[in-house]
Amino acid sequence: MSTLFPNYARRPVHLVEGKGTIVIDNDGKKYLDFTSGIAVLSLGHAHPAIVEAIQRQSEKLWHTSNLFESPEQEKLASSLIRDTHFAHAFFCNSGAEANEAAIKLARKHTGKHVIITFENSFHGRTFGAMSATGQEKVRKGFGPLLETFRTIPFNNIEQLEASIDASIAAIMLEVIQGEGGVNQITPEYAQVISGICKSKGILLIVDEVQTGIGRTGTRYAYEQTVLQPDIITLAKGLGGGFPIGAMLGTSELHDTFGPGTHGTTFGGNPLAVAVAQTVLDNIFTNEFLSTVNEKSSYFMDKLKKALPAYKIVGSGLLLGIVCPNEVAPYIAQAEKAGLLLVAAGPNVIRLLPPLTATTREIDQTINIITNILLVPSI
């Protein structure tokens, strides 16, 4: 019997090494990693710049309390908010922690307690973030959750308008519901949300944990919409594999999080900040983001031609193949063929390659997927 709790449905593969998009298991078998650690390895495995940043910082300072000034955190915050309407950042260790911070900030700033969230959303597994998540499988078995979240159908304007009252502190959403099925917000819905938030004084929180840091072809996914969030949350790709999360907020929110209102022991530690800064230095350039969009167009066009009967959804290098039945067997077959994939809900194959993946690797992936979906297994 394992000494670990069985809270993960672990696959029988022991990965021991990785470089770029390729990982190797303990038997020497190679795989194309189109999970990226679930949208985490934005620059791939063992990117030289990240390795150098960790080595360099590890010889200087690993940890210091947030009671002391941190010019490195200031620089990272400036990189994240540059050319945006945001003014301030808070650093933590994960997406769930970033969302907890956002929930607390919104409630404290408005003095209200109800936050609207959406069916099929995913915001994390801590208690507040779990309560915000619109998936029963995540919430089941934990008893009464926080009652101050009002979960409604996504992209349903009538239901949204009916849910608005004087108790609403914020609306919390993902521009693309990565975990819930690669469901994108419609332009019409984004427009209505924007108008409601402005006219009613409701804060808008956009969860960019999976979609941020170039994953969808822009720095942040909200930039492809009319939305102007008051708060966004980040993690996953921000550290390129090293744990770090962040919350960005507008200047109006600054005084709400005064000393003692919120904190973290490890958040924004020197190692994490050094890695995240290196990630941004590589990704937050027009040239790099252009290559992500080029690869996205290439990937989508090839998938649509190879799989004309399947709906291809998503943006950037967060794509999904909508299947008529459950995709778990397909993912298992892909693994045997040397391709690592994850699902997005029961019926969608989620494609999350490193942003550095090559067109050759994309072609190899399409060939494997096509053989699995179009050729009956024996």
Side-chain angles (χ1 to χ4, degrees):
M1 179 180 290
S2 172
T3 54
L4 301 173
F5 277 107
N7 53 305
Y8 299 107
R10 294 187 186 272
R11 305 183 193 178
V13 175
H14 176 198
L15 301 175
V16 296
E17 188 178 346
K19 186 72 174 178
T21 312
I22 305 298
V23 290
I24 304 172
D25 70 15
N26 59 326
D27 293 322
K29 181 178 178 178
K30 293 183 178 180
Y31 304 81
L32 284 164
D33 183 6
F34 269 52
T35 73
S36 298
I38 311 185
V40 168
L41 296 153
S42 45
L43 295 176
H45 293 269
H47 189 280
I50 293 181
V51 172
E52 181 185 354
I54 291 175
Q55 290 176 338
R56 184 173 61 248
Q57 186 61 43
S58 70
E59 295 173 353
K60 295 166 63 177
L61 190 66
W62 288 37
H63 174 79
T64 183
S65 171
N66 279 307
L67 295 173
F68 299 99
E69 289 187 355
S70 176
E72 293 78 17
Q73 284 190 20
E74 293 281 357
K75 180 182 177 182
L76 180 60
S78 295
S79 298
L80 287 167
I81 68 173
R82 185 175 297 124
D83 299 323
T84 73
H85 62 290
F86 298 113
H88 307 288
F90 166 79
F91 294 112
C92 51
N93 303 287
S94 70
E97 285 188 22
N99 284 332
E100 292 283 353
I103 292 164
K104 287 179 66 175
L105 180 60
R107 288 174 54 136
K108 192 170 192 301
H109 184 77
T110 62
K112 300 177 181 180
H113 305 134
V114 178
I115 295 176
I116 291 176
T117 63
F118 297 92
E119 293 176 3
N120 296 314
S121 61
F122 183 82
H123 299 295
R125 297 181 185 274
T126 51
F127 201 75
M130 176 178 65
S131 298
T133 292
Q135 297 188 54
E136 181 58 27
K137 67 179 183 180
V138 175
R139 302 155 60 119
K140 186 177 180 180
F142 294 100
L145 301 177
L146 297 179
E147 298 178 354
T148 50
F149 291 98
R150 189 173 296 170
T151 303
I152 64 173
F154 195 44
N155 284 328
N156 186 312
I157 293 173
E158 183 178 347
Q159 290 272 5
L160 174 65
E161 292 176 337
S163 299
I164 301 299
D165 58 39
S167 69
I168 307 298
I171 296 173
M172 185 176 189
L173 61 86
E174 301 154 280
V175 171
I176 302 176
Q177 295 180 329
E179 192 76 20
V182 194
N183 309 311
Q184 294 178 265
I185 193 170
T186 65
E188 296 79 13
Y189 202 59
Q191 189 72 57
V192 171
I193 286 177
S194 181
I196 286 173
C197 287
K198 289 177 182 177
S199 65
K200 303 292 185 180
I202 294 170
L203 296 181
L204 177 60
I205 304 168
V206 175
D207 179 338
E208 294 261 13
V209 170
Q210 186 163 162
T211 57
I213 317 299
R215 175 54 59 181
T216 63
T218 49
R219 294 172 304 171
Y220 311 116
Y222 84 83
E223 294 175 311
Q224 300 174 35
T225 73
V226 300
L227 298 173
Q228 286 284 293
D230 300 280
I231 301 167
I232 65 171
T233 54
L234 304 165
K236 290 189 179 286
L238 176 60
F242 201 96
I244 185 171
M247 177 188 70
L248 309 185
T250 61
S251 59
E252 291 80 7
L253 302 173
H254 175 267
D255 293 341
T256 303
F257 256 15
T261 54
H262 193 58
T264 167
T265 297
F266 297 107
N269 68 75
L271 273 172
V273 168
V275 171
Q277 186 64 59
T278 301
V279 169
L280 297 190
D281 289 344
N282 280 268
I283 292 178
F284 278 15
T285 69
N286 290 333
E287 181 180 2
F288 187 94
L289 292 172
S290 292
T291 65
V292 173
N293 286 305
E294 289 167 6
K295 292 172 190 175
S296 176
S297 296
Y298 180 86
F299 205 171
M300 291 194 79
D301 289 345
K302 287 264 190 173
L303 282 170
K304 288 176 180 178
K305 289 176 182 176
L307 301 168
Y310 290 78
K311 183 179 180 181
I312 311 301
V313 294
S315 178
L317 291 176
L318 167 52
L319 302 179
I321 303 172
V322 182
C323 298
N325 39 30
E326 293 195 1
V327 299
Y330 300 140
I331 290 173
Q333 291 176 52
E335 187 176 288
K336 291 179 181 178
L339 173 64
L340 303 182
L341 299 170
V342 290
N347 299 100
V348 179
I349 297 172
R350 193 170 13 159
L351 301 165
L352 293 166
L355 304 182
T356 52
T358 66
T359 52
R360 181 173 178 271
E361 290 166 339
I362 289 171
D363 287 340
Q364 291 173 327
T365 295
I366 292 172
N367 287 336
I368 292 172
I369 292 174
T370 301
N371 286 334
I372 290 169
L373 294 181
L374 300 185
V375 179
S377 59
I378 299 174

